[in-house]
Amino acid sequence: MFEPNSYPLFDRRTLLKGAAGAGLLASGLSMIAASPVRAEFKQNPFTLGVASGDPAPDGFVIWTRLAPEPLQARGGMSVVPVDVSWEVSSDSELKQVIRSGTAVARVELAHSVHVELEGLEPGRDYFYRFRAGGIESAIGRARTLPASGAEVAQVRFAAAGCQQWEGGYYTAWRELARENFDFVFHYGDYIYENPFITVDRQGRAFPRVLPKDFSTCISLTDYRRRYALYKTDPDLQAAQASCPFLSSFDDHEVSDNWAADTVRDVPADAFLFRRAAAFQAWYEHMPVRRSLMPRGPDVVAYRRFQVGTLANVSVLDTRQYRSKQPCGDGFKANCAEADEAGRTMMGAAQEQWFADGLRTGTPSGQAAWQVLAQQVLFAHVDMRSFPWLTKSEGPVVDLDAWDGASAARGRVMGILHDAQVKNPVVLTGDLHHGVALELKQDWRDSAGPCVGVEFVATSISSGGDGEPVMSNAQALHSDNPHLKYVSNQRGYHRHTVTRERWLADFRAAEQISAQDRPMTTVKSFVVEAGKPGLVNT
Ligand SMILES: [Fe+2]
C-alpha cells in the first residue's frame, strides 16, 4: 500500500507495493517511480481545495494539488507519481458526468494537476471534482466564456488581489464566493514572500501568525509552503471553487518591487534563480494553461479573454519586461528619469501584442469595452499628501507604478487612441486602496477630456482593517481633480457590464481583524458606453 505520508520521502517498501498494485514489474526503482499508482491516503489529500481558470468559449482549466500535509516541504507526498481522476458535469451534484479522465500528479510539479477541458458549450456553468486514493475533492463550479462574436447581454465579474495571509481574515473571499461570478480577475500579490513577522509597519499585531519556521521565500520549497499556507484558508478555497480565475502576478509572488531581472541591488545572475523558483510555485498553484508553464525564469503570462463582443480583457504583465524603477524607486518628486522616452512597463513585444489585439476588424477590436487587467496604478496620481511621505512642494509619484514610466503610459494611450477605443477601462491592484480615476490625455489639464477610467480594487487583507475616510482624502482630491473616490478598506470590486453601461461596486469589509464581519457596497460608479467618465450612483 502506498502511504503518501511516509517520511523520509523515498520509501522502497511502499514504492514496490504501489508499483505492484499498478500491475508493474518491480525491476527497477527508476521505472517504478515514473509510473503512476493509485494511492491510498491516511489523510485528505485535497487540503488546498480546487480551482478553475483561464476560461474559453469551449473550456477551461481545472486544478488541484495533492498535499495531505500541506505545510511539509513536499506536502506530505513521496516521489511517486499518483493518478488523479477527474469528472466534469453539467449539474452541481455531478449526476450527469459529461467528461472524465485521469491526470498524473508528479512530485516535479508538487503533485499539482492542471486539466484543460475543451469541446464544451459556450456561456454556461459546469461543475467538476477530483478523486485520488478513493477520496473525493470538493466540487467546484466553472463557466465557459460566451461564443466568439456572440451578442452578450451582461457579464458579472470581480477584481481582487493583495491577500497577505497574516494581515487579516479572508472575509472578502468568503463574500465573493457567494456571488457566482462569471470570473474573477486576480491582479496579483496572491502570496507575500515576507519573513516571519508578527506586527505590521505601524507595529500593530497581525490577526494571524505565520508558522514559526517560515522565513523569506527564496527557494522553491519556501514558495510552495507559502502558497500551501494561503490555500488552506477555507474562504479562499470557497472563492476559487466558485468560478474561474484569470490569474496574474505582481511583485510579491517573487519579491517586493522586483523589476525584470533584478530586485534592488541583487544582480540578474542571482535573482533569476529565485524568479524561476517563484514562477514554478506560481504555476503549480494557479489554474492556468500549460502555455503558462515557466521555462526557467521566464513565463509568458499576458493573454486575452474575449467575452463575446461585449468585452475584451487583456491580462497584462507589468513586472517581467519593465524598466528598473527610476531614481532608486520609492515615492518621489522631481524624477526626470521617470519621463525618459525609452522606459517601458510591458516591453516592446507585449506592447505590440496589445496594439495588434485592438486592430479594427479583429473580434477583440470590435468589443464594446476594452479592459486592461493589470497590476500597478496607471493614472498619474500626486501622492504628496500621504502623511508618511517627506513634505514636498511639487507632485510626489509612485515610481514603481506607470508614473515611473510616463512614456510607456503615453504609448498605451496612443495605442488606445489610434484604435479608436471608445471605452477603455483599466483594472488595477497594488495600492491597497479603493480608487476611482478618470484617465486624461493631458494630466496637467484637469478640465481636458477624459479618455477612459481606472478602478483600483483595494486588497483582500493587505493593510489591515483600514478606515472608510482617509485623513488626507481631501488633499488627495484637490491634488488630483481626476481622482473621484479613494478609501482604505479591505474588499473587492464587483463589475456588472452591459453594452450600455459599466457598473462598478466597491465592496468593503467592516473589519478583517475579526472573523465574519459584514461586507457592504460602500461606493458605486457607472460608466456610460461611449461617454468616458465616472458617474456617481
Ligand atoms: Fe499588495
Side-chain angles (χ1 to χ4, degrees):
M1 184 180 74
F2 169 61
E3 296 177 357
N5 303 319
S6 63
Y7 212 83
L9 294 165
F10 198 84
D11 181 323
R12 182 184 171 89
R13 183 179 59 85
T14 51
L15 272 175
L16 291 172
K17 285 190 173 182
L24 296 168
L25 290 173
S27 58
L29 283 177
S30 60
M31 187 197 100
I32 296 162
S35 307
V37 297
R38 290 198 183 84
E40 288 182 22
F41 294 97
K42 289 177 181 169
Q43 293 158 252
N44 177 16
F46 297 107
T47 56
L48 308 181
V50 299
S52 69
D54 281 14
D58 72 337
F60 40 77
V61 176
I62 56 174
W63 171 95
T64 193
R65 182 189 156 200
L66 305 179
E69 295 183 49
L71 300 190
Q72 279 197 7
R74 292 179 181 169
M77 298 291 288
S78 84
V79 298
V80 180
V82 175
D83 276 347
V84 181
S85 61
W86 53 270
E87 298 172 309
V88 173
S89 168
S90 50
D91 68 276
S92 60
E93 293 170 8
L94 273 81
K95 287 180 180 154
Q96 300 283 327
V97 173
I98 55 164
R99 291 277 196 292
S100 62
T102 302
V104 181
R106 296 181 186 279
V107 69
E108 289 84 352
L109 289 175
H111 290 96
S112 62
V113 293
H114 300 72
V115 179
E116 292 187 37
L117 276 301
E118 50 188 32
L120 303 179
E121 291 173 27
R124 57 162 301 169
D125 286 357
Y126 288 94
F127 301 85
Y128 60 95
R129 175 170 62 195
F130 297 92
R131 190 180 282 110
I135 299 176
E136 286 179 352
S137 74
I139 294 174
R141 168 186 171 266
R143 186 172 174 82
T144 48
L145 289 178
S148 179
E151 294 270 329
V152 180
Q154 178 180 285
V155 64
R156 281 179 72 254
F157 73 98
C162 287
Q163 53 189 57
Q164 188 175 27
W165 181 87
E166 57 269 46
Y169 294 99
Y170 286 168
T171 308
W173 283 133
R174 186 200 63 199
E175 281 290 305
L176 184 148
R178 294 177 182 154
E179 301 239 31
N180 275 338
F181 282 117
D182 293 331
F183 58 83
V184 170
F185 165 56
H186 196 295
Y187 51 72
D189 286 4
Y190 194 102
I191 57 158
Y192 283 69
E193 84 293 5
N194 55 258
F196 177 81
I197 43 174
T198 56
V199 294
D200 65 14
R201 284 181 189 161
Q202 286 75 41
R204 296 171 302 203
F206 283 127
R208 301 202 273 194
V209 180
L210 287 172
K212 280 215 168 54
D213 66 337
F214 273 39
S215 58
T216 302
C217 295
I218 302 287
S219 72
L220 178 56
T221 298
D222 297 333
Y223 286 109
R224 282 174 170 168
R225 294 181 74 215
R226 196 67 56 112
Y227 278 101
L229 172 73
Y230 280 51
K231 280 181 165 280
T232 53
D233 184 283
D235 295 328
L236 176 58
Q237 287 187 19
Q240 296 244 224
S242 73
C243 71
F245 273 48
L246 318 185
S247 304
S248 70
F249 50 78
D250 194 10
D251 56 333
H252 288 287
E253 280 84 355
V254 182
S255 180
D256 183 30
N257 280 20
W258 68 281
D261 56 1
T262 58
V263 61
R264 298 189 179 82
D265 56 353
V266 180
D269 56 8
F271 176 70
L272 288 179
F273 287 100
R274 185 180 181 189
R275 199 176 92 182
F279 280 168
Q280 180 174 341
W282 178 80
Y283 174 79
E284 288 168 350
H285 293 86
M286 294 297 120
V288 293
R289 292 177 184 271
R290 273 187 295 277
S291 57
L292 274 75
M293 185 179 279
R295 295 285 181 269
D298 303 320
V299 57
V300 179
Y302 57 86
R303 57 210 194 278
R304 191 172 288 119
F305 299 90
Q306 287 173 231
V307 186
T309 58
L310 182 59
N312 176 34
V313 181
S314 298
V315 174
L316 305 183
D317 173 351
T318 58
R319 283 283 159 200
Q320 205 177 172
Y321 314 104
R322 65 154 67 193
S323 308
K324 194 170 174 60
Q325 295 90 348
C327 301
D329 201 3
F331 295 77
K332 290 176 182 163
N334 302 316
C335 174
E337 189 188 350
D339 300 323
E340 287 178 1
R343 296 188 57 74
T344 184
M345 290 294 276
M346 296 161 69
Q350 187 180 184
E351 267 184 30
Q352 189 61 53
W353 164 87
F354 178 68
D356 290 347
L358 301 185
R359 228 180 256 140
T360 312
T362 64
S364 55
Q366 293 159 1
W369 301 91
Q370 290 291 343
V371 184
L372 286 76
Q374 52 98 56
Q375 292 78 37
V376 292
L377 189 62
F378 184 78
H380 165 69
V381 175
D382 177 358
M383 302 198 178
R384 77 179 94 172
S385 63
F386 277 96
W388 43 270
L389 289 171
T390 313
K391 290 279 159 284
S392 171
E393 290 304 311
V396 172
V397 297
D398 179 0
L399 296 171
D400 183 57
W402 289 81
D403 265 334
S406 60
R409 179 173 54 209
R411 288 195 298 275
V412 171
M413 302 280 270
I415 290 167
L416 294 168
H417 179 266
D418 292 348
Q420 299 179 311
V421 171
K422 291 190 177 61
N423 300 298
V425 177
V426 180
L427 304 180
T428 303
D430 182 53
L431 261 193
H432 307 172
H433 291 294
V435 187
L437 295 140
E438 292 185 339
L439 304 180
K440 298 285 183 176
Q441 201 69 51
D442 180 356
W443 304 102
R444 291 160 303 187
D445 178 12
S446 61
C450 167
V451 295
V453 299
E454 179 171 10
F455 295 112
V456 184
T458 177
S459 59
I460 293 288
S461 56
S462 308
D465 283 336
E467 62 280 321
V469 181
M470 292 155 59
S471 61
N472 63 325
Q474 226 172 356
L476 262 175
H477 280 289
S478 64
D479 292 338
N480 301 280
H482 57 289
L483 184 150
K484 302 301 176 188
Y485 178 77
V486 63
S487 69
N488 179 25
Q489 286 176 292
R490 308 290 75 85
Y492 60 91
H493 282 184
R494 174 173 61 205
H495 299 291
T496 309
V497 184
T498 65
R499 301 194 85 77
E500 292 75 35
R501 64 172 216 162
W502 181 300
L503 170 65
D505 295 319
F506 289 44
R507 304 276 296 152
E510 194 180 276
Q511 211 181 9
I512 58 154
S513 57
Q515 279 181 290
D516 298 325
R517 303 300 297 160
M519 284 196 77
T520 53
T521 299
V522 292
K523 183 68 186 170
S524 296
F525 285 100
V526 160
V527 184
E528 291 170 15
K531 295 184 202 164
L534 295 163
V535 180
N536 277 295
T537 63

